[in-house]
Amino acid sequence: MLINCVVYEDGSKLADIPVSRIGEYLSLPRCFVWVALNDASQEELLELQQAFDLHPLAVEDAQNGHQRPKVEEYGDSLFVVLHLLDADADAPRTAMEVGELDVFVGRNYVVSVRNRSSHGFVEVRERCQREPELLRNGPGFVLYALMDAVVDRYFPAIDAFDVELEGIEERIFTQGGARENIQGLYGLKQRLTVLKHAVAPLLEGANKLHGGRVPQLCVGTQEYFRDVLDHLNRINGSIDAMRDTIGIAIQANLSMVTIADGEVTKRLAAWAAIFAVCTAFVGIWGMNFEQMPELKWRYGYAMALGLIVSICGYLYYRFRRAGWV
């Protein structure tokens, strides 16, 4: 679905145009066309391929979707893939939906194709139009603005994960929550891995736009891509730190389970020892031999019960002091 098709000249919006008139403006000096689509059909991509002479391999990637984040050069044009992560910040346990933003950038055009995501980029277009002095840098600045918006959306997810992890850490030493804690930790680790797959490959791509042989499209905007790279490094560092913390938390949780099992084992062993004494004495007096002194003694039964109760009580006292019962 076509969202916008706008012509910009010298940093200012010139006109909204239909796709059929794109060719009229591509040859104008200091002009570029920005086309935005959502869940584009194959026919729409083919029409734009013909209008902008997009590389067929890049178009094929956009049609297939589910690409790894990357920055690829095709002659004097760029093809950039970004992952869009849609998660409810108020419900961090909700599974993350992974969308995709494919961006074709050339000397006089930008084509952004959003797939499987409900969160648009209206604010990016508004930001660019509020800063005409920066928009004069052309498609390179638009690419930066799109990448910056996508990367900035990762920060709320990191903050939500951090809050969730702190909550689980507080519950680790609470009895009875071991299973829930393990489920929460592994669920959080899975969502962090999704975010890691969105950030780590993009680090290499963003570095291409900042240092070394910078593509001609990005000349003049390197410092802006350096800012994106800095944000990606911060997010990547936070992900690695949280994954390490999750590993430690899992080990601590398992240790608490082992300790709890040990406490149960000690209690069972203590009660088993107490009842073993009862069983031993009862077994002795239950052998039914004819010559047993206690059988004909008037107080023999009471003495036997008293002896059993006394020894069991003494054992209970000692186990109680040792913390076993």
Side-chain angles (χ1 to χ4, degrees):
M1 180 180 66
L2 179 67
I3 299 176
N4 293 107
C5 183
V6 183
V7 179
Y8 294 90
E9 181 180 17
D10 201 24
S12 300
K13 179 178 178 180
L14 185 61
D16 290 285
I17 62 171
V19 175
S20 59
R21 295 187 58 193
I22 288 177
E24 301 176 16
Y25 293 90
L26 291 181
S27 59
L28 297 180
R30 298 190 304 277
C31 281
F32 72 90
V33 180
W34 181 359
V35 182
L37 302 100
N38 179 28
D39 293 323
S41 64
Q42 185 173 357
E43 292 74 17
E44 288 174 321
L45 287 175
L46 291 176
E47 184 179 7
L48 292 175
Q49 179 182 3
Q50 295 175 357
F52 295 113
D53 192 24
L54 304 178
H55 197 281
L57 291 178
V59 174
E60 181 182 353
D61 285 346
Q63 289 174 340
N64 294 333
H66 303 284
Q67 299 295 310
R68 183 174 180 265
K70 58 185 178 179
V71 176
E72 293 182 336
E73 291 187 67
Y74 292 98
D76 58 352
S77 64
L78 293 174
F79 176 62
V80 181
V81 178
L82 307 168
H83 279 185
L84 306 175
L85 305 181
D86 292 338
D88 187 354
D90 297 327
R93 292 176 181 265
T94 304
M96 301 182 71
E97 298 293 334
V98 181
E100 185 173 302
L101 179 66
D102 302 319
V103 187
F104 302 84
V105 186
R107 181 184 57 81
N108 52 3
Y109 67 85
V110 177
V111 178
S112 57
V113 184
R114 174 167 51 94
N115 296 306
R116 305 184 308 279
S117 177
S118 59
H119 196 165
F121 292 93
V122 176
E123 73 281 1
V124 177
R125 189 179 293 273
E126 292 176 349
R127 172 193 176 182
C128 291
Q129 293 178 172
R130 287 196 308 267
E131 301 175 327
E133 68 282 357
L134 296 176
L135 193 56
R136 288 192 184 97
N137 290 303
F141 179 75
V142 175
L143 175 60
Y144 152 74
L146 289 170
M147 292 182 66
D148 186 56
V150 172
V151 173
D152 283 348
R153 292 178 187 179
Y154 297 157
F155 282 104
I158 283 288
D159 293 338
F161 293 160
D162 191 35
V163 171
E164 183 180 353
L165 180 57
E166 289 178 357
I168 295 176
E169 286 182 305
E170 292 175 357
R171 297 194 302 269
I172 283 179
F173 300 102
T174 302
Q175 293 184 351
R179 178 182 292 274
E180 181 182 355
N181 291 337
I182 285 293
Q183 290 176 341
L185 288 169
Y186 273 99
L188 180 56
K189 185 177 181 181
Q190 183 179 26
R191 278 172 278 133
L192 270 175
T193 301
V194 173
L195 182 57
K196 180 75 171 180
H197 289 165
V199 171
L202 195 57
L203 280 167
E204 180 183 355
N207 193 53
K208 292 180 182 178
L209 306 178
H210 159 60
R213 188 188 65 81
V214 178
Q216 187 63 35
L217 292 168
C218 302
V219 172
T221 55
Q222 296 100 312
E223 62 272 20
Y224 294 99
F225 288 107
R226 180 178 61 193
D227 181 66
V228 173
L229 183 62
D230 177 64
H231 289 177
L232 286 170
N233 280 317
R234 287 169 51 193
I235 295 172
N236 191 58
S238 298
I239 292 173
D240 290 339
M242 292 178 67
R243 294 176 75 178
D244 291 340
T245 303
I246 288 174
I248 295 172
I250 289 175
Q251 293 300 320
N253 192 76
L254 293 176
S255 298
M256 292 301 299
V257 172
T258 302
I259 292 172
D261 290 344
E263 293 294 327
V264 173
T265 301
K266 287 194 297 183
R267 285 178 170 80
L268 292 175
W271 285 109
I274 292 173
F275 282 104
V277 172
C278 299
T279 303
F281 280 108
V282 172
I284 291 173
W285 282 309
M287 290 187 293
N288 294 323
F289 287 111
E290 183 177 352
Q291 300 299 325
M292 293 184 68
E294 298 85 355
L295 293 179
K296 297 181 181 180
W297 184 33
R298 179 178 180 182
Y299 301 105
Y301 181 68
M303 182 275 297
L305 290 181
L307 181 62
I308 292 173
V309 171
S310 298
I311 294 177
C312 290
Y314 175 74
L315 290 174
Y316 179 82
Y317 167 74
R318 292 303 301 266
F319 287 136
R320 184 76 175 179
R321 288 194 61 184
W324 282 38
V325 293

